[in-house]
Amino acid sequence: GQNIDQPTEMTATEGAIVQINCTYQTSGFNGLFWYQQHAAEAPTFLSYNVLDGLEEKGRFSSFLSRSKGYSYLLLKELQMKDSASYLCAVRDIRYSTLTFGKGTMLLVSP
Amino acid sequence: KAGVTQTPRYLIKTRGQQVTLSCSPISGHRSVSWYQQTPGQGLQFLFEYFSETQRNKGNFPGRFSGRQFSNSRSEMNVSTLELGDSALYLCASSLYGQWETGELFFGEGSRLTVL
């Protein structure tokens, strides 16, 4: 099976930078995704990594190290609206579906 | 364009009843996936349909079933409801399927409460 670990909760201050880590164990890795889910809303796609390195998209960046089974989502210049749950998901070539971690609840305070 | 639409948004059932949830994907999307979301387990994959065929199935009992129609709309059914089935059921659509793209477009979900 697959195992995906993320911290349950994180807190940060408006304007700061926060890094949300995700570790995974899977034999047939074929891509890692980050989704954002605000309370009582649908998850929305943030980023996708399949090769090692950093993908930057505005205030959000995502990093992947396949050899370490590790990814992080970096949020810069935090805003109150960034308070949400951040879901790490892994695609495995054997299952051809996305498996999600339990999510990291980020609370941004003034 | 319109997003993924799920109905009903909220429903309350009692143990032993059955429930049917509906999902209309984004126009042109052929793949529909269903997930169960609970605070303790997070998002868990139920099944994926593509062009009316079930392509993948998660580790859920046979009480959970689904189907997809020729217009790509999908329904999922849960029979003999149990208290533990209380959850948010999310539907997600994609153009080709999770395997091909991985970018899923989620609906806002159907929140089921079993009493």
Side-chain angles (χ1 to χ4, degrees), chain A residues 35 37 42 95-98 102, chain B residues 35 37 40 56 98 102 104 107:
Chain A
Y35 281 78
Q37 185 177 23
Y95 307 115
S96 69
T97 59
L98 290 188
K102 294 182 181 181
Chain B
Y35 285 85
Q37 187 174 35
N56 293 289
Q98 294 192 31
L104 302 176

Side-chain angles (χ1 to χ4, degrees), chain B:
Chain B
K1 59 184 175 183
V4 178
T5 304
Q6 290 188 245
T7 56
R9 291 291 312 281
Y10 303 91
L11 66 166
I12 299 174
K13 294 285 187 178
T14 57
R15 279 181 297 174
Q17 287 187 309
Q18 67 130 23
V19 66
T20 299
L21 309 178
S22 178
C23 171
S24 294
I26 292 172
S27 178
H29 284 194
R30 298 166 63 186
S31 169
V32 173
S33 299
W34 288 90
Y35 285 85
Q36 181 194 67
Q37 187 174 35
T38 58
Q41 298 299 318
L43 270 168
Q44 292 191 290
F45 174 72
L46 283 157
F47 23 67
E48 180 192 10
Y49 287 88
F50 182 83
S51 293
E52 302 179 66
T53 301
Q54 186 182 88
R55 290 212 294 196
N56 293 289
K57 189 176 190 304
N59 190 27
F60 278 80
R63 300 185 296 108
F64 292 80
S65 63
R67 59 178 175 170
Q68 187 180 34
F69 302 96
S70 59
N71 62 357
S72 293
R73 190 177 71 85
S74 177
E75 288 181 348
M76 69 162 282
N77 184 277
V78 187
S79 62
T80 319
L81 284 166
E82 301 176 359
L83 295 178
D85 297 333
S86 294
L88 181 66
Y89 290 88
L90 289 164
C91 165
S93 78
S94 62
L95 190 56
Y96 299 112
Q98 294 192 31
W99 172 244
E100 285 80 11
T101 67
E103 181 174 355
L104 302 176
F105 296 85
F106 283 89
E108 294 192 325
S110 293
R111 184 164 294 281
L112 170 65
T113 301
V114 182
L115 302 177

